Amino acid sequence: MLRNLLTSTVGALGRPFVWVPLAFLFAAGIGLAWGSWKNLCVECPSIAQIHTWEPQQTSKIFGHQGELIGELGIERRTPVAIDDLPPYVPQAFIAIEDRRFHDHRGFDPMGVARAAVVRGPLRPVFQFVLRRPFRESGGSTITQQLARNMFETIGFEQRVERKLKELQVAIELERAYTKEQILEAYMNQINLGPGWWGIQTASRNYFGKAATELNPAEAALLAAIANLPGHYSPFRSPDNALQRRNLVLDRMGREGFLARQEVEEWQAHPLPTERARAAEGTAPYFQEWVRQLVQARFGSQVYTGGLQIYTTLDVRMQGAAEAAMERGFERIEGRPGFNHPQYEEFIDETGQIEGLNTPYLQGLFVALDPQNGAVRAMMGGRNFNHSRFNRATQARRQPGSAFKTFVFASAIESGIPASHIVVDAPVIMDDGSGEEWRPQNFGGEFHGPMTLREAYRRSVNMIAIRLGQDEVGMETVAQTARRMGLRTEIPRVPSTAIGAPDVIPIQMAEAYSTFANMGTKVRPSPIVRVESADGEVLWEPEPERTPVMDSLSARVIVHLMEDVVSFGTAHTGVRIVGGLPREIPAAGKTGTTNNSTDVWFVGSTPTLQAAVWFGFDRPQRIHPNATGGGDAAPVWGEFMRRVYVGDEEANGGGEGAILPTPEPWSLEGLATHEVDDRTGLLASRWCPPEQRYMEVFIPGTEPTDLCDRAGPGWPRR
């Protein structure tokens, strides 16, 4: 009966009215399937896109000595060439992810069948028949995994449509690239940790080394992590990571990539227990400043284009600055009368503190090369995680007595010598609003006639006010400060002479560079050059140097600032507490505002300049006796000591100097005369010897008359 049925069926199919429609339907089915296949991935990349595709790369920020200090990007990724890697690195990924990688053309039917069995409902049956458990394995080849990582349009959903899209792109990839190119792209593309894309970035973070330096155990761990980075993280799940890594090593042995003895040796290799420490993350305020500048010029390319950003930051100087500032914070918070929240109460806070209102003591530090403006160190605040507001580049604070330098510079430039006498006595002035202003000296005392040198050294308010208001004019003072780099508003009122206007700290550093450079202002800059990922120089800013002051006038001001460090308000802080040896030439000026809300020290050596500030985001008294000399100057002194002498505490046995001891500033071009400190006139036998001192003059400004204390108006002895 069955034979008769088959015979009749075959006979029917041989008739045209039967087989022609069937053939049509078959052809239509094939056409429909082919059309569906071709139209399945209309949003998938074309072969042209695949050829031109480039992975997103982070931009790298490098320090002055070429150290990597940070990365900028959406996905942290640094490509590495497969030819530069030890052979066992790619072999580890092949062994665990796609052992027939070199045999297929983007699709592995055996792998798909194995995955279907391993993950399907009949798994227990096959395990019972074969009497052994299945090894876990997916059906996607390395090429398919690369396809879905390369193009977001494919997606990661567990759907048949997505797998077909992935397959289509994988086939195109195999046509477009060699196996080595595909494997290299895969290893540079995959995610291997929290924001760590590619084996180079992952290797730095897990092991603190380049991918070219990986050993077989480390390569196997990265290959293990690739499956599920969170589940196989050695930091979060060390047992899972160890089991998976050893499985990879075992597979490498089975595939002949490692000898069995090597497998056993590397399986005993320890796992990393914490993220490798590197220079990355150094100077976050500096890095953010760099990011803003580069983004303003290159836009979104800074996050995806793999720019190489070479900066001026000296990592060792940054460490010296941070260490000195930390001591400064501890010193101030331990002062009697410091009645504010301690930083330790907030140190465990991980998020941003809302607004510009951190409740604890803040500070800033910026150091630069006065010759070219290269910023060598920067702290814009105490904790970047709490507040990203950069107090060095964005804050507006009163400079207090640190502003007096511009008053005295205006006087020296106008031909008034440092031996000029001004009387320190009470004054009553209009504060600019019609109200009476009765300024006071620090300590409330008045000292009578004194030279500008002594007034500057002792930071006498009355002398600065009289000098600015009565002798050179506040318009001249404001123009001097503006010319030297202050770009904030400078009111032409008497209180400006003692630091009432708000200034931006880095602009103070810029203005003081005029003196360190003997009259040439230099704009602080953090960038040496920016290169493309291929090494092409895209931007190489030149130092902005502008002559703004006569060199001899600038040298006289530096000589006055040397006195501040040698005998004046900064002596104890810089030389005693800070420990800067006397053979290191140093000059600077302290600054303290009313009610001790801001304390400053801004100064330089012949080869380095730095500014220090402490205060609260919402101005309030730091402590009852807070001063620039007592609180800011010691930090400056300690920093300079670490730079020029070294850190005797580092590494247990000390770390050497960063810069050589500089030669003192030259007095060439200036005249030197002995003068009387009560009259400002040339010393003579008619004036007390103990009141004589050596003064420097711009030629033509020195006094010509001899001191005569025995004349009219002076008491005879």
Side-chain angles (χ1 to χ4, degrees):
M1 185 174 181
L2 179 60
R3 181 181 299 174
N4 293 337
L5 179 60
L6 290 173
T7 302
S8 61
T9 300
V10 172
L13 291 174
R15 298 171 185 173
F17 71 86
V18 176
W19 65 262
V20 170
L22 289 176
F24 175 78
L25 290 173
F26 181 73
I30 293 176
L32 181 62
W34 179 252
S36 298
W37 170 257
K38 296 298 289 182
N39 291 298
L40 172 70
C41 203
V42 292
E43 296 179 354
C44 291
S46 66
I47 187 68
Q49 288 176 289
I50 290 172
H51 272 293
T52 59
W53 176 84
E54 293 183 359
Q56 292 185 1
Q57 297 184 39
T58 54
S59 291
K60 314 299 185 299
I61 303 177
F62 298 96
H64 177 53
Q65 303 295 332
E67 315 95 324
L68 179 67
I69 62 173
E71 296 186 63
L72 303 171
I74 300 170
E75 298 176 350
R76 301 189 68 181
R77 179 188 291 107
T78 303
V80 60
I82 194 171
D83 291 339
D84 295 334
L85 296 169
Y88 48 75
V89 175
Q91 288 169 352
F93 288 90
I94 290 174
I96 193 66
E97 293 292 336
D98 188 0
R99 64 189 184 89
R100 278 184 291 276
F101 173 71
H102 289 287
D103 300 325
H104 62 68
R105 300 301 299 170
F107 174 67
D108 184 8
M110 293 181 64
V112 173
R114 183 180 64 252
V117 170
V118 168
R119 299 179 179 179
L122 297 180
R123 171 176 178 159
V125 176
F126 282 94
Q127 284 185 336
F128 177 78
V129 172
L130 297 176
R131 300 292 182 181
R132 63 178 175 84
F134 284 114
R135 294 181 298 181
E136 290 289 344
S137 181
S140 294
T141 64
I142 283 177
T143 314
Q144 289 175 280
Q145 294 180 53
L146 176 62
R148 65 172 175 258
N149 277 282
M150 282 175 62
F151 303 106
E152 295 179 357
T153 53
I154 295 176
F156 289 86
E157 300 89 351
Q158 293 295 327
R159 297 167 53 193
V160 173
E161 180 182 356
R162 195 272 298 170
K163 294 294 291 184
L164 291 174
K165 290 180 180 180
E166 177 186 291
L167 175 59
Q168 194 173 96
V169 175
I171 292 173
E172 294 291 342
L173 284 172
E174 291 276 350
R175 292 174 180 170
Y177 298 110
T178 65
K179 287 289 187 180
E180 286 69 27
Q181 289 173 320
I182 290 172
L183 186 55
E184 178 181 300
Y186 169 77
M187 290 188 295
N188 285 318
Q189 182 67 14
I190 53 176
N191 177 253
L192 292 166
W196 305 338
W197 298 80
I199 58 171
Q200 182 77 321
T201 300
S203 180
R204 283 200 188 108
N205 284 281
Y206 285 114
F207 313 114
K209 62 172 70 173
T212 55
E213 301 170 349
L214 291 170
N215 62 42
E218 293 164 343
L221 178 60
L222 294 185
I225 292 170
N227 182 260
L228 289 171
H231 185 69
Y232 294 117
S233 167
F235 308 147
R236 296 173 54 186
S237 305
D239 292 339
N240 294 343
L242 181 63
Q243 183 179 7
R244 178 79 176 176
R245 184 206 65 179
N246 288 347
L247 172 62
V248 175
L249 288 168
D250 185 68
R251 295 278 185 90
M252 293 174 72
R254 290 173 182 268
E255 297 298 325
F257 300 144
L258 294 175
R260 177 48 53 183
Q261 182 179 355
E262 291 179 299
V263 170
E264 294 174 356
E265 290 175 356
W266 289 116
Q267 284 180 335
H269 192 76
L271 295 176
T273 57
E274 61 180 14
R275 182 177 176 180
R277 294 184 179 182
E280 293 183 59
T282 298
Y285 288 99
F286 178 86
Q287 289 192 44
E288 175 61 14
W289 184 32
V290 168
R291 182 196 67 78
Q292 293 171 5
L293 294 175
V294 177
Q295 183 179 351
R297 191 175 187 92
F298 296 99
S300 61
Q301 189 179 358
V302 72
Y303 303 109
T304 61
L307 301 179
Q308 310 291 303
I309 305 167
Y310 294 90
T311 74
T312 59
L313 188 85
D314 188 301
V315 172
R316 289 182 64 191
M317 285 193 198
Q318 179 69 24
E322 291 175 358
M325 284 293 286
E326 184 57 35
R327 286 204 184 190
F329 282 123
E330 292 175 358
R331 210 163 23 237
I332 295 173
E333 290 182 336
R335 301 280 194 204
F338 184 87
N339 299 317
H340 305 284
Q342 297 279 333
Y343 175 64
E344 290 183 357
E345 300 174 27
F346 301 88
I347 197 169
D348 293 330
E349 296 284 340
T350 57
Q352 294 278 303
I353 294 177
E354 186 175 353
L356 182 58
N357 188 28
T358 52
Y360 49 77
L361 180 69
Q362 280 288 358
L364 68 85
F365 186 99
V366 59
L368 55 88
D369 184 331
Q371 300 301 312
N372 56 24
V375 175
R376 299 303 187 199
M378 174 180 281
M379 287 181 66
R382 199 165 183 180
N383 189 314
F384 187 72
N385 292 327
H386 291 174
S387 171
R388 299 192 176 187
F389 181 78
N390 190 334
R391 292 154 188 84
T393 62
Q394 297 175 288
R396 292 172 180 259
R397 306 294 300 215
Q398 289 184 332
S401 297
F403 191 89
K404 292 175 184 174
T405 305
F406 308 117
V407 178
F408 283 74
S410 299
I412 298 297
E413 273 204 299
S414 68
I416 300 174
S419 62
H420 179 66
I421 298 296
V422 179
V423 178
D424 176 23
V427 296
I428 301 174
M429 293 184 175
D430 184 338
D431 66 357
S433 64
E435 298 292 328
E436 283 189 353
W437 181 50
R438 298 173 181 266
Q440 296 288 318
N441 286 327
F442 185 83
E445 297 180 354
F446 301 98
H447 304 89
M450 66 174 62
T451 63
L452 296 189
R453 176 175 293 277
E454 183 180 0
Y456 187 81
R457 180 175 67 240
R458 296 170 63 174
S459 197
V460 179
N461 287 343
M462 293 300 108
I463 302 297
I465 294 168
R466 289 179 181 274
L467 185 64
Q469 182 71 13
D470 300 334
E471 303 210 27
V472 299
M474 292 311 301
E475 179 63 32
T476 299
V477 172
Q479 291 298 332
T480 297
R482 179 80 65 201
R483 190 172 71 250
M484 292 181 182
L486 298 188
R487 291 177 285 281
T488 50
E489 182 181 359
I490 304 173
R492 278 65 166 170
V493 296
S495 60
T496 290
I498 56 174
D502 291 335
V503 299
I504 297 174
I506 200 165
Q507 292 180 11
M508 282 289 285
E510 178 180 345
Y512 267 68
S513 73
T514 301
F515 311 119
N517 274 329
M518 299 297 108
T520 298
K521 178 191 72 172
V522 61
R523 179 72 67 90
S525 173
I527 296 174
V528 176
R529 69 183 181 279
V530 177
E531 297 179 359
S532 69
D534 297 326
E536 177 188 0
V537 177
L538 305 176
W539 183 29
E540 192 168 11
E542 291 291 329
E544 295 185 35
R545 297 170 54 86
T546 309
V548 295
M549 188 179 188
D550 176 74
S551 61
L552 293 181
S553 297
R555 180 62 186 95
V556 171
I557 293 297
V558 170
H559 203 263
L560 293 180
M561 290 195 289
E562 287 182 276
D563 257 15
V564 173
V565 175
S566 297
F567 314 107
T569 57
H571 171 70
T572 299
V574 171
R575 297 298 190 187
I576 308 302
V577 181
L580 183 65
R582 294 183 183 275
E583 58 266 26
I584 309 296
K589 184 68 184 77
T590 56
T592 308
T593 62
N594 284 343
N595 204 31
S596 299
T597 59
D598 300 84
V599 294
W600 295 74
F601 187 80
V602 187
S604 63
T605 69
T607 55
L608 192 61
Q609 182 179 339
V612 183
W613 168 88
F614 290 105
F616 287 89
D617 284 339
R618 290 190 176 180
Q620 53 188 304
R621 177 182 290 189
I622 300 172
H623 61 85
N625 298 309
T627 63
D631 294 315
V635 171
W636 192 94
E638 180 176 343
F639 168 77
M640 292 298 180
R641 174 176 58 79
R642 289 172 180 266
V643 169
Y644 290 108
V645 178
D647 180 11
E648 66 278 8
E649 299 175 359
N651 302 325
E655 186 173 345
I658 302 171
L659 294 179
T661 299
E663 293 294 324
W665 288 282
S666 171
L667 289 175
E668 183 179 357
L670 294 176
T672 304
H673 297 280
E674 188 177 33
V675 298
D676 175 68
D677 68 0
R678 292 293 181 270
T679 64
L681 300 178
L682 294 175
S684 72
R685 61 190 179 92
W686 294 285
C687 293
E690 67 272 14
Q691 292 174 356
R692 301 175 187 178
Y693 76 98
M694 298 302 296
E695 184 59 270
V696 296
F697 297 90
I698 299 171
T701 66
E702 60 267 60
T704 57
D705 295 333
L706 293 175
C707 165
D708 185 4
R709 295 281 191 88
W714 290 97
R716 295 181 180 272
R717 296 191 177 183

